[in-house]
Amino acid sequence: SQQGEEDPQALSIQEGENATMNCSYKTSINNLQWYRQNSGRGLVHLILIRSNEREKHSGRLRVTLDTSKKSSSLLITASRAADTASYFCATAPPWGGATNKLIFGTGTLLAVQP
Amino acid sequence: EPEVTQTPSHQVTQMGQEVILRCVPISNHLYFYWYRQILGQKVEFLVSFYNNEISEKSEIFDDQFSVERPDGSNFTLKIRSTKLEDSAMYFCASNWDTSYEQYFGPGTRLTVT
C-alpha cells in the first residue's frame, strides 16, 4: 500500500450521525494533517496532530494518532449536510530531514444526506 | 485571516504553449510549495522553495517546469511547453516552518487542449 491510504473510499451517512475516516501511512512523521476539499475546490486545513500527541479535538472534529500502528482517524460528530466533501490525510516528514513535502492520502468522499 | 491566493482560477491553453500560474503566499511565510491534483486522483507534490531556491522537487517536476519568486510576494510556476497530461488542478501552499500546517490556495485549474 502507498503512504497515506484512507478508508473507506466513500462514506454515506444521515445528518446527525457521526462519520469516521481512517488513514494509514508507512514512514516516520513529524505530524499528520487532515484537509477537506469540496468538489473541485481548494484544500482547507482542518487539524494537525503531532507525532507525540495521541488525540486532538477541534469543534466537532476529533483526531487520533497511533504511531505504533502508523494510523490516524478523523471523527466528525453530529454531521451536517455542509460536511459533504472529500477528506484527505497528509503526513509531514520528521523535522530536519531532507524533505518537507506533504504526502497525501487517497481521500474519503463523505456524503451527508439531509 | 491571511490566505494564499492564486490566479487565474481557470486557464485553458493549447498543447505546446507556455503557461504561468501565479500565487501570493501568506506574507510572513518562508516555505512555498506547488502541488497538483489530476482529476479524481490524490494531491501530488511538485516542488518546494525556500530562501530563493528549490529545496526539493519530485519526478514530475522535469525541465519543462520552473518556479520563481520574482518580487518577494509572488510565487510562480511556469510550464514551458504544456502537454495534455499537464491538465490538472495546481495548488500553491506556504508555511512559516516545515513542522507546521501548510496553507493552500484555492487552486488553478489548467486545461490543456
Side-chain angles (χ1 to χ4, degrees):
Chain A
S1 62
Q2 297 180 19
Q3 176 87 344
E5 288 201 342
E6 282 138 285
D7 75 271
Q9 289 188 333
L11 180 62
S12 182
I13 59 174
Q14 297 293 315
E15 219 168 16
E17 292 181 339
N18 296 341
T20 299
M21 289 159 267
N22 303 296
C23 167
S24 61
Y25 59 92
K26 300 189 81 175
T27 60
S28 298
I29 63 170
N30 174 280
N31 64 72
L32 185 144
Q33 304 176 35
W34 285 90
Y35 288 83
R36 185 184 75 211
Q37 184 181 36
N38 288 74
S39 180
R41 308 291 293 276
L43 294 158
V44 175
H45 184 265
L46 296 176
I47 196 165
L48 180 154
I49 186 165
R50 299 199 179 280
S51 59
N52 60 353
E53 297 175 308
R54 292 297 166 258
E55 189 171 309
K56 203 160 182 180
H57 297 255
S58 176
R60 294 184 296 113
L61 305 180
R62 173 177 166 253
V63 169
T64 62
L65 179 65
D66 187 334
T67 52
S68 66
K69 295 181 179 176
K70 291 187 166 59
S71 67
S72 174
S73 68
L74 171 67
L75 168 69
I76 303 174
T77 60
S79 62
R80 306 165 183 166
D83 294 329
T84 294
S86 290
Y87 292 81
F88 294 91
C89 68
T91 53
W95 187 86
T99 178
N100 54 21
K101 66 185 179 190
L102 288 179
I103 301 177
F104 280 81
T106 49
T108 292
L109 179 58
L110 174 66
V112 182
Q113 311 297 332
Chain B
E1 187 174 325
E3 57 184 20
V4 176
T5 59
Q6 289 185 244
T7 54
S9 57
H10 191 189
Q11 172 98 42
V12 181
T13 189
Q14 288 191 326
M15 199 166 52
Q17 295 295 304
E18 174 183 284
V19 294
I20 297 176
L21 310 183
R22 292 184 166 79
C23 167
V24 179
I26 294 173
S27 62
N28 63 342
H29 284 184
L30 302 176
Y31 297 83
F32 313 108
Y33 312 84
W34 283 101
Y35 293 82
R36 80 170 186 191
Q37 184 182 34
I38 294 171
L39 187 64
Q41 297 185 24
K42 60 165 73 176
V43 178
E44 301 173 287
F45 169 80
L46 291 178
V47 65
S48 59
F49 193 85
Y50 169 72
N51 202 25
N52 262 341
E53 61 182 24
I54 291 174
S55 48
E56 185 181 5
K57 57 185 181 180
S58 72
E59 290 176 356
I60 303 167
F61 194 90
D62 62 21
D63 291 344
Q64 292 301 310
F65 290 85
S66 63
V67 289
E68 199 177 36
R69 187 156 162 82
D71 56 13
S73 63
N74 291 282
F75 180 49
T76 61
L77 174 68
K78 182 194 289 186
I79 309 175
R80 268 181 265 282
S81 177
T82 50
K83 301 175 240 187
L84 293 175
E85 53 265 37
D86 293 328
S87 294
M89 183 78 99
Y90 287 80
F91 294 106
C92 172
S94 69
N95 59 3
W96 73 273
D97 184 88
T98 57
S99 63
Y100 287 81
E101 55 265 42
Q102 293 184 18
Y103 289 86
F104 282 76
T108 293
R109 182 169 297 284
L110 176 66
T111 303
V112 183
T113 60

